[in-house]
Amino acid sequence: MRAQQVRAGDLFAALPGTRVHGADFAADALTAGATAVLTDQAGVDRVALLDHPRVVAGEVTLLVHEDPRGVLGSAAARIYGDPSQRLTILGVTGTSGKTTTSYLLESALRAAGHTTGLVGTVETRIAGERLDSAFTTPEAPDLQALLAVMVEHGVTHVPMEVSSHALALGRVGGTRFAVGAFTNLSQDHLDFHRDLDDYFQAKALLFDGRSEHEVVCVDGGWGQRLVTDDTITVSTTGDASWTATDVEAFPTGEQRFRAHGPDGTLDVRLRLPGPFNIANALLAAGVLTAAGVPAAAIEQGLAEVDVPGRMERVALGQDFTAVVDYSHKPGAVAAVLDAARAQVTGAHVGGRVLVVLGCGGDRDVAKRPLMGEAAARRSDLLVVTDDNPRSEEPADIRAAMLGGALDVPEGERGEVLEVGDRREAIAEAVHRARVGDVVVIAGKGHETGQDVAGVVHPFSDRDEVAAALRRRLDTGSARLGEGSGGTQSSGEPTYPAGGRGSNEEAR
């Protein structure tokens, strides 16, 4: 809670930060009517708190703890009546797939007749009412307040994305999870975590006993490290409690498979393409079964899901596929482009994969060349562009991506093009598309703004793809440079491919 949000009777949490201490703002909170302050000893020693007249007069209760952030969740839960005890909360953590799995869970829960909430990256929902999300997982007081409101609105079941930040910073402290689920782990957020193992240890906190049931995808070694005797395991490649067979992928991107679990088999239909979405759906089936959802509702719910900004198709009658995806880490980029490659190989011999990709500023810099490399290896055209440069120089971010892309030998990559203006980059990819191609606009997904030098400009990949498609359909082409806005262009240098041959030879 910020000091300016305090109302009479509130508890103000004055937490230590990397640059300032929350107790420096205690005077504002106490003047606004806070009756108690939770802080550490360093906070108690701050002049703004120690010398405040209400503290001197003994009118304020000081709660001192060596790790106030660590106990804030439990304190907030008590204040709001322990709402998670009256909700069935299904927590999903992992690097990729949290959002998709949460949407799959919510759809099946609604099919089973439950009143649902949703907490995640794209949005928060309370019994069908949509709210924007500022964080994947809200701060502890906000989360407990949100859960309490859900209880008041008759919500019974809540799929929740649980980020590594939320676990490491205690945002979900005091929250009881009926089921905790793990998707996968790959490089991300190393601007926050020391290394991959530290990142994993944060994710592993969801499985420290706070979840009544645990469901883990064991297709990777990180998930295997979470397995205990009671773990419900999921795998698309090996032995597990839940496995998939008879997978069918269709040119439309839809898929079907059979999910085999401890109590029987489900016939699953998905609107979502790619092997990674088989894993997401299988994980959802394991979570839902653990939560007591009937098989028929699971089958119905999984079949009805489209996820905003996750392999989301933009179709205006064009003769190629255009999709928008949130993939913004090396593993996710690889998985999405592998799915696109499988689609063009199966649907249209000679179809190509064209991708527009950027990296965010003020984030993990080590993943930039890795993302460039992953995209260059898997595409026939990679357009390197800007994402959310934030406070960084956009050209420097693109240069790091280009370094990784151009390190791939010419015979093992497609053409690489640099177009700094994201609107122009999208228009160029759409302009170059041919019959049977798949155009992937990656990195921003559902986002509706572009952060440049601290200013967020309206920008939607979905809208820009649609606009480029309309121009192409109306005029027969979509020329590079139509429209305006976005961040600066770099002069559009092109780095040609060498010796790729057909798609099949390249793969």
Side-chain angles (χ1 to χ4, degrees):
M1 176 181 292
R2 296 181 177 89
Q4 60 266 34
Q5 296 174 311
V6 169
R7 297 179 181 179
D10 281 351
L11 164 68
F12 177 61
L15 307 179
T18 55
R19 297 180 182 177
V20 297
H21 198 292
D24 292 335
F25 306 97
D28 292 336
L30 293 173
T31 300
T35 57
V37 176
L38 170 64
T39 191
D40 57 7
Q41 188 58 50
V44 172
D45 294 338
R46 299 281 175 148
V47 171
L49 179 58
L50 188 62
D51 292 348
H52 194 277
R54 292 186 60 213
V55 174
V56 174
E59 298 174 1
V60 177
T61 300
L62 298 182
L63 304 174
V64 184
H65 194 279
E66 62 182 359
D67 181 19
R69 184 180 293 279
V71 298
L72 179 58
S74 296
R78 289 289 299 274
I79 289 170
Y80 286 104
D82 287 317
S84 67
Q85 300 294 329
R86 290 173 282 169
L87 296 165
T88 299
I89 300 181
L90 312 177
V92 185
T93 197
T95 302
S96 300
K98 295 188 297 298
T99 297
T100 297
T101 302
S102 295
Y103 272 77
L104 292 168
L105 293 173
E106 193 207 20
S107 181
L109 290 166
R110 285 189 282 106
H114 297 298
T115 301
T116 60
L118 180 71
V119 180
T121 304
V122 176
E123 62 186 344
T124 294
R125 285 209 291 261
I126 304 174
E129 181 179 349
R130 184 185 185 279
L131 306 172
D132 289 333
S133 291
F135 298 106
T136 298
T137 315
E139 294 286 358
D142 296 328
L143 176 60
Q144 296 303 323
L146 175 64
L147 296 179
V149 171
M150 289 185 179
V151 171
E152 291 176 353
H153 283 73
V155 169
T156 59
H157 291 68
V158 183
M160 179 193 299
E161 296 181 49
V162 186
S163 67
S164 62
H165 291 69
L167 288 158
L169 297 174
R171 293 180 190 168
V172 291
T175 303
R176 169 193 169 274
F177 292 90
V179 186
F182 177 85
T183 59
N184 51 61
L185 191 124
S186 62
Q187 182 171 332
D188 199 19
H189 299 306
L190 296 190
D191 54 321
F192 178 78
H193 299 285
R194 291 189 305 275
D195 50 33
L196 268 176
D197 192 66
D198 183 60
Y199 179 35
F200 170 75
Q201 293 301 331
K203 296 288 190 186
L205 291 173
L206 186 59
F207 308 94
D208 63 0
R210 72 184 74 198
S211 299
E212 184 178 351
H213 301 284
E214 299 176 356
V215 184
V216 173
C217 180
V218 293
D219 283 343
W222 297 106
Q224 293 166 16
R225 290 174 59 177
L226 294 172
V227 175
T228 69
D229 291 341
D230 298 323
T231 304
I232 301 167
T233 55
V234 167
S235 178
T236 61
T237 60
D239 293 334
S241 309
W242 283 87
T243 58
T245 64
D246 305 317
V247 176
E248 295 180 272
F250 298 91
T252 59
E254 296 175 329
Q255 302 185 90
R256 295 178 185 172
F257 69 97
R258 305 197 80 194
H260 304 278
D263 300 320
T265 299
L266 303 174
D267 292 314
V268 178
R269 293 180 295 122
L270 283 179
R271 296 177 181 174
L272 310 171
F276 55 93
N277 278 319
I278 300 292
N280 291 334
L282 202 60
L283 186 71
V287 171
L288 291 161
T289 301
V293 177
I298 297 174
E299 291 177 342
Q300 177 186 340
L302 299 188
E304 296 175 346
V305 175
D306 293 304
V307 185
R310 273 63 176 177
M311 291 300 280
E312 182 179 0
R313 291 188 290 275
V314 182
L316 297 181
Q318 76 274 13
D319 52 11
F320 58 92
T321 299
V323 298
V324 171
D325 192 79
Y326 191 52
S327 46
H328 56 279
K329 61 213 73 167
V333 169
V336 164
L337 296 183
D338 284 344
R341 178 64 61 189
Q343 186 172 338
V344 299
T345 301
H348 193 284
V349 176
R352 303 171 302 154
V353 175
L354 293 72
V355 59
V356 175
L357 180 67
C359 286
D362 302 333
R363 298 294 186 269
D364 180 6
V365 299
K367 71 180 182 181
R368 294 170 184 173
L370 300 179
M371 288 175 62
E373 185 270 340
R377 284 190 182 278
R378 291 167 172 81
S379 63
D380 299 279
L381 172 66
L382 163 61
V383 184
V384 174
T385 190
D386 294 338
D387 189 290
N388 293 310
R390 300 184 175 90
S391 70
E392 290 193 60
E393 174 59 44
D396 293 342
I397 301 173
R398 296 195 303 270
M401 292 184 64
L402 286 166
L406 298 178
D407 278 345
V408 179
E410 286 190 358
E412 299 175 18
R413 62 169 168 84
E415 179 184 355
V416 179
L417 177 67
E418 181 183 5
V419 181
D421 186 298
R422 192 173 181 89
R423 178 174 288 113
E424 294 180 359
I426 291 171
E428 178 71 358
V430 170
H431 171 64
R432 292 194 181 209
R434 302 197 297 250
V435 176
D437 288 351
V438 175
V439 176
V440 179
I441 313 300
K444 289 176 63 60
H446 63 281
E447 295 178 354
T448 56
Q450 186 178 35
D451 187 335
V452 184
V455 179
V456 178
H457 303 272
F459 195 97
S460 164
D461 280 357
R462 292 174 290 192
D463 291 348
E464 294 302 328
V465 172
L469 288 172
R470 282 192 292 269
R471 289 195 296 269
R472 175 177 170 132
L473 294 170
D474 289 345
T475 67
S477 67
R479 292 182 176 82
L480 175 64
E482 292 183 340
S484 60
T487 51
Q488 60 181 296
S489 177
S490 62
E492 295 81 49
T494 299
Y495 308 87
R500 283 182 60 83
S502 70
N503 293 329
E504 289 72 27
E505 291 171 347
R507 298 302 141 189

